[in-house]
Amino acid sequence: MKTILILHTGGTIAMSQNEDGGVAPSSANPLDTFKNPFIGKLNLITEDVFNLPSPHIGPAEMLILEKRILQAASEDVDGVVVTHGTDTLEETAYFLDLTVPNDFPVVVTGAMRSANEIGSDGLHNFQTAIQTAASDEAKNKGVLVVMNDEIHTARYVTKTHTTNVATFRTPTFGPIGLVTKNRVLFYEQLLLNDYHPIDHVVNHVYLIKAYAGMDPEMLEFMDNEKTNGIVIEALGAGNLPPSVLPALKKLLARKIPIVLVSRCFNGIAQEVYSYNGGGIQLSNLGITFCHGLNGQKARIKLLVGLSANLSTTELTDFLSDAVS
Ligand code: ASP
């Protein structure tokens, strides 16, 4: 019989709505009322790691989860389910994807409606996440996100709606599987990525978004010895207004890694345009194009690469790799 370790971290899936309509953490985790439908089929071990709304979760908490999961992978555990608030779920899931071996099933899930709201999705997502983690096919898929009966990769999934239960989507590539009434069905293969178990996390890795007429001041504020790295969500295929070029050049002269993704919801940032501020020029300046990730994922990847002490060349390869 397989053993699945469940790590609760909080989020709406562990919250209840009070009389005034506000949703907040409750002292008793509503997931503890889950009547295990897998008795005799799966051995479930539950640990309450945190009880935090996910905007309170950052790299320090992600590191605690990574360490617990690496330990579980060396024990008699066949897979892990992490329950998590949905706001930063994609970041924690991708952090784990980059730090835990690809062949160890880890599934992250959450809920859009708290336990006592009508149509609450928590217990259903929880159950389907356990089914997925226990599936033989969940191996070698990296970290997965299971919500609303869909299986997404941690690498590409993103929260797309503030409240809809179908909020988790994978733009450009789509989900890689489904949880049906009878079975867990994978219909895509995933190109696996390098992973780097890390034992600390660096700070001061920033994420900013480009906009028409972008002011250079924000980049100028980052021109100091504290800054470890910057991710910019650039315009379109990967371009920036010329107004920010002088500030960018100063940051690059300081050897601060600058990574570029697109602020577009779909598609891949690429070096296409050769005009002033165009992607070709940015790439020639030494900015690294990160192909296919959104801004928050690229920031996690840069943070993991820096925390793994990758050399400048290794870091560039790690970030620009089109598949991982
Ligand atoms: N704000 C909540 C959180 O991320 C949202 C949720 O869990 O759905 O903790």
Side-chain angles (χ1 to χ4, degrees):
M1 186 158 51
K2 285 193 180 182
T3 296
I4 304 297
L5 173 67
I6 292 154
L7 302 176
H8 293 311
T9 71
T12 296
I13 195 165
M15 295 184 195
S16 306
Q17 192 173 40
N18 61 32
E19 284 166 9
D20 306 326
V23 177
S26 36
S27 50
N29 189 340
L31 292 172
D32 291 343
T33 65
F34 180 69
K35 290 214 173 31
N36 180 359
F38 306 110
I39 290 170
K41 293 182 189 147
L42 292 175
N43 179 27
L44 304 183
I45 304 171
T46 302
E47 291 177 17
D48 289 299
V49 187
F50 319 112
N51 189 9
L52 294 172
S54 77
H56 298 198
I57 287 186
E61 288 75 25
M62 296 175 195
L63 190 66
I64 291 170
L65 286 173
E66 176 217 325
K67 288 184 178 164
R68 181 64 192 97
I69 294 170
L70 288 175
Q71 187 193 333
S74 68
E75 291 168 349
D76 203 11
V77 170
D78 299 287
V80 172
V81 170
V82 178
T83 67
H84 198 286
T86 60
D87 291 351
T88 62
L89 185 152
E90 64 188 90
E91 282 152 277
T92 297
Y94 190 50
F95 182 100
L96 298 175
D97 192 51
L98 291 170
T99 55
V100 169
N102 294 305
D103 60 356
F104 187 60
V106 177
V107 178
V108 188
T109 194
M112 295 303 290
R113 297 182 186 139
S114 61
N116 55 346
E117 282 177 76
I118 290 174
S120 172
D121 51 337
L123 290 181
H124 182 77
N125 287 339
F126 186 41
Q127 178 168 324
T128 49
I130 295 169
Q131 277 171 267
T132 307
S135 155
D136 291 337
E137 290 173 76
K139 281 190 169 185
N140 294 309
K141 299 277 192 303
V143 173
L144 300 169
V145 172
V146 171
M147 295 280 296
N148 202 36
D149 289 341
E150 290 185 345
I151 307 172
H152 297 262
T153 64
R155 191 185 305 161
Y156 295 124
V157 72
T158 191
K159 185 175 182 179
T160 64
H161 194 287
T162 49
T163 51
N164 194 312
V165 293
T167 181
F168 280 88
R169 297 286 164 104
T170 298
T172 309
F173 305 108
I176 64 162
L178 290 173
V179 185
T180 70
K181 293 273 181 209
N182 305 322
R183 60 177 287 212
V184 175
L185 180 68
F186 287 96
Y187 48 77
E188 296 279 358
Q189 278 302 329
L190 183 71
L191 298 166
L192 295 175
N193 49 256
D194 287 349
Y195 68 93
H196 297 276
I198 51 175
D199 58 10
H200 72 288
V201 278
V202 301
N203 51 13
H204 305 300
V205 178
Y206 303 119
L207 169 61
I208 60 168
K209 185 171 192 154
Y211 51 90
M214 189 176 182
D215 303 286
E217 287 82 0
M218 216 163 1
L219 288 165
E220 286 162 10
F221 294 145
M222 295 178 199
D223 187 2
N224 60 62
E225 66 285 346
K226 268 189 178 175
T227 304
N228 287 317
I230 302 169
V231 174
I232 306 175
E233 286 185 15
L235 308 172
N239 311 303
L240 289 171
S243 53
V244 300
L245 290 175
L248 284 175
K249 285 177 189 164
K250 283 194 194 155
L251 292 163
L252 290 164
R254 259 188 194 276
K255 304 259 178 281
I256 294 171
I258 304 182
V259 176
L260 192 138
V261 297
S262 174
R263 70 174 194 176
C264 293
F265 181 67
N266 266 302
I268 291 167
Q270 295 163 85
E271 304 85 332
V272 176
Y273 292 95
S274 52
Y275 56 72
N276 209 17
I280 292 178
Q281 194 191 58
L282 298 175
S283 177
N284 289 341
L285 284 177
I287 292 177
T288 304
F289 274 60
C290 179
H291 305 96
L293 295 184
N294 66 21
Q296 56 271 31
K297 301 280 179 75
R299 178 185 172 271
I300 292 289
K301 194 166 195 188
L302 177 56
L303 188 144
V304 168
L306 289 166
S307 306
N309 294 318
L310 298 186
S311 68
T312 306
T313 323
E314 288 168 338
L315 191 66
T316 307
D317 289 348
F318 182 56
L319 281 150
S320 59
D321 188 335
V323 296
S324 60

